[in-house]
Amino acid sequence: MSEAVMPDAEMPDAERRAVGKFLRRMMPLLVLMLLVNQMDRTNVGFIQDELRADVGVSATAYGLGAGLFFIGYALFEIPSNMMLERFGARVWLTRIMITWGLVVVAMCFIHNVWMFYGLRFLLGVAEAGFFPGVMLYLTQWLPDSARGRGSAIFLGGSATAYIVTGPITGALLELHGMGGIAGWRWMFGLEGAISILVGFVAGFFLVSRIDDARWLTREEKDALGAAIARDKKARSREPEVSRLRLLFHPQVALLTGVFFAMTLTGYAITFWLPSLVDDIGGLSSFQIGLLTAVPWICAVIAMYTLSHFTDGAPDRRPYLAIALVVSAVGTFLATLGSPWFGLAAITLAAVGSKCSASMFWPMSQAGLDLRIAAPGLALVNSIGNLGGFVSPTLFGYLKDTTGSTNGGLYTLSAASLLAVVGVTFVRRTRAAAAPLPETAPVARESAKRA
């Protein structure tokens, strides 16, 4: 057994106590930050009609503005992570939350489409590095053997965010007219203020370094620090590979394409679901918010139920392919029937989308050569997430030009089916992955030492 990977049952008592204290004290705050993060990046999905009536934002302009967030996010993700390493999580994650809260508050004052574009882009810049920053923070506090639990808790917050965002945002929109202010302006102002408040709370409670944790004993600090040091030493033996070379690695390119197709569906549902629910008619903003939670509740239940069957499976590819087909069928069926039938179809698509995501990353980790797994997955995430720009932009353009979102839904169905084809070519295990040409000498040397 590798020294760097130790089952929880074999952890020294002091290390196990330290890990437990971190999970109880820090993870609830990180999950709260993620929940607010998801709410602030997706709340524009509830105010398409209001932006069109008050500001003149067309469907095309809305889709472009919703997607511009991801451009700013992608451009500044790496610099933001570098700043976190320099200044520590307490300073940098707090800065991220407060600045994105200020941008959300500024969106109260949108008066034209260019302000909408600019502030959505700035929101992406402000949020850049939050998710990967938390992932980096977990590597600084949790040994490899406990990081899976921490990541699962954090990602569970993302699923919860989709459920609670609708009702909260819908309730705030009910403030329309109070003080002569439009409901969507109240929504931005109050949700932005919540972000700022949570940011200040994070500044008081987050701890950047193990040695600074007052709630750990000296023995616990030493044990946890030693475990983290062992993990870093083990990872430092792996050669670094440039992202440019990774682009030409067939498995990385294949995984990026599959993930890009998946994000197309995920973000299309996120940004256009409230509009589709609004087509039912006769619903208040709060009722629309409640109904938008239904697909995500079903998706989360399906995701955790399916995990019991796939966690022990030797090959996740068939399950992922089935989930992608479910997503494709759901988006296609959403073009047929009444708005209520459309909601049921979108629920099916959301189930397929969330289940796909829950299986994609474990499959990806197993499908890449160990030497390129970390940078390869980072590249897959950063490029694949640009689907968050393409999807709402495409939907908005098609709605303006055709008067319907059906063209966008057909596109999503086709993308999911193409992803199914891509999944069949993904390597099953790391051992089978083809090494990069420039790492071949390293592989031969490792084989000699073995």
Side-chain angles (χ1 to χ4, degrees):
M1 181 180 299
S2 171
E3 183 183 31
V5 180
M6 182 182 298
D8 186 62
E10 297 183 18
M11 279 186 185
D13 288 340
E15 180 184 338
R16 185 165 51 250
R17 290 197 305 270
V19 167
K21 287 182 179 180
F22 176 84
L23 294 177
R24 290 192 300 271
R25 290 174 177 267
M26 294 293 102
M27 291 310 302
L29 177 57
L30 293 173
V31 168
L32 175 61
M33 294 168 73
L34 178 64
L35 192 153
V36 176
N37 170 266
Q38 296 291 315
M39 181 171 63
D40 286 345
R41 71 161 58 176
T42 61
N43 53 17
V44 293
F46 293 84
I47 59 169
Q48 290 182 57
D49 293 339
E50 289 84 350
L51 289 176
R52 181 170 58 250
D54 295 352
V55 186
V57 177
S58 66
T60 300
Y62 164 77
L64 178 59
L68 280 172
F69 167 92
F70 296 94
I71 300 297
Y73 194 95
L75 288 175
F76 288 87
E77 180 177 0
I78 294 176
S80 181
N81 255 27
M82 293 171 64
M83 292 297 100
L84 186 142
E85 285 189 292
R86 179 176 179 180
F87 294 107
R90 180 177 184 178
V91 170
W92 200 247
L93 292 180
T94 297
R95 191 285 305 164
I96 289 176
M97 281 215 72
I98 293 175
T99 53
W100 97 50
L102 291 172
V103 174
V104 174
V105 170
M107 294 183 77
C108 291
F109 305 101
I110 292 175
H111 290 293
N112 57 59
V113 68
W114 292 105
M115 287 185 68
F116 177 59
Y117 289 158
L119 288 173
R120 281 294 296 179
F121 178 81
L122 286 177
L123 184 63
V125 173
E127 288 192 23
F130 173 72
F131 185 88
V134 172
M135 293 294 104
L136 177 63
Y137 182 53
L138 294 183
T139 68
Q140 297 170 344
W141 272 88
L142 294 177
D144 289 346
S145 55
R147 201 172 306 132
R149 275 179 291 159
S151 299
I153 293 170
F154 185 64
L155 293 174
S158 176
T160 304
Y162 284 111
I163 296 172
V164 304
T165 292
I168 292 175
T169 300
L172 294 178
L173 289 173
E174 294 286 329
L175 297 176
H176 181 74
M178 191 172 77
I181 300 174
W184 65 271
R185 297 187 190 274
W186 275 115
M187 179 198 74
F188 280 133
L190 292 176
E191 290 186 352
I194 291 172
S195 302
I196 296 170
L197 176 62
V198 173
F200 279 113
V201 171
F204 279 104
F205 289 99
L206 279 179
V207 181
S208 296
R209 299 168 60 249
I210 294 174
D211 282 341
D212 294 335
R214 298 179 180 177
W215 31 269
L216 291 178
T217 66
R218 184 71 260 169
E219 181 188 13
E220 291 166 348
K221 292 177 182 179
D222 292 342
L224 187 57
I228 300 299
R230 286 196 303 269
D231 292 341
K232 287 183 177 179
K233 184 178 179 181
R235 288 193 296 269
S236 68
R237 299 191 188 105
E238 298 176 10
E240 294 186 3
V241 180
S242 74
R243 292 194 171 200
L244 182 62
R245 290 194 179 100
L246 280 174
L247 281 172
F248 298 99
H249 191 277
Q251 285 298 298
V252 174
L254 187 60
L255 290 169
T256 300
V258 171
F259 186 55
F260 181 84
M262 290 167 53
T263 59
L264 286 177
T265 299
Y267 282 114
I269 296 173
T270 298
F271 287 112
W272 287 90
L273 177 59
S275 177
L276 296 172
V277 173
D278 191 36
D279 289 341
I280 294 174
L283 300 173
S284 68
S285 296
F286 182 63
Q287 289 171 327
I288 292 173
L290 287 176
L291 282 177
T292 59
V294 172
W296 302 117
I297 293 173
C298 295
V300 170
I301 293 173
M303 180 177 65
Y304 285 112
T305 301
L306 187 63
S307 68
H308 290 292
F309 296 96
T310 60
D311 279 350
D315 188 359
R316 287 184 171 90
R317 290 177 301 173
Y319 296 96
L320 176 56
I322 292 171
L324 288 168
V325 170
V326 169
S327 180
V329 171
T331 51
F332 177 78
L333 290 178
T335 65
L336 309 173
S338 68
W340 282 107
F341 180 81
L343 177 61
I346 287 296
T347 299
L348 187 65
V351 167
S353 177
K354 273 294 179 185
C355 289
S356 299
S358 69
M359 289 180 286
F360 175 80
W361 291 112
M363 182 200 70
S364 301
Q365 291 166 340
L368 288 178
D369 188 279
L370 279 170
R371 290 156 297 173
I372 64 168
L377 292 176
L379 187 66
V380 169
N381 181 65
S382 59
I383 296 181
N385 260 315
L386 290 178
F389 169 76
V390 174
S391 186
T393 303
L394 176 65
F395 258 65
Y397 172 76
L398 290 174
K399 186 172 184 180
D400 268 348
T401 55
T402 67
S404 170
T405 58
N406 286 355
L409 292 168
Y410 292 143
T411 302
L412 296 181
S413 294
S416 294
L417 293 177
L418 284 174
V420 172
V421 176
V423 167
T424 63
F425 291 97
V426 174
R427 301 277 186 180
R428 180 174 173 181
T429 63
R430 284 173 173 163
L436 290 172
E438 58 271 22
T439 62
V442 177
R444 286 193 293 268
E445 186 61 32
S446 297
K448 290 178 182 177
R449 287 197 299 267

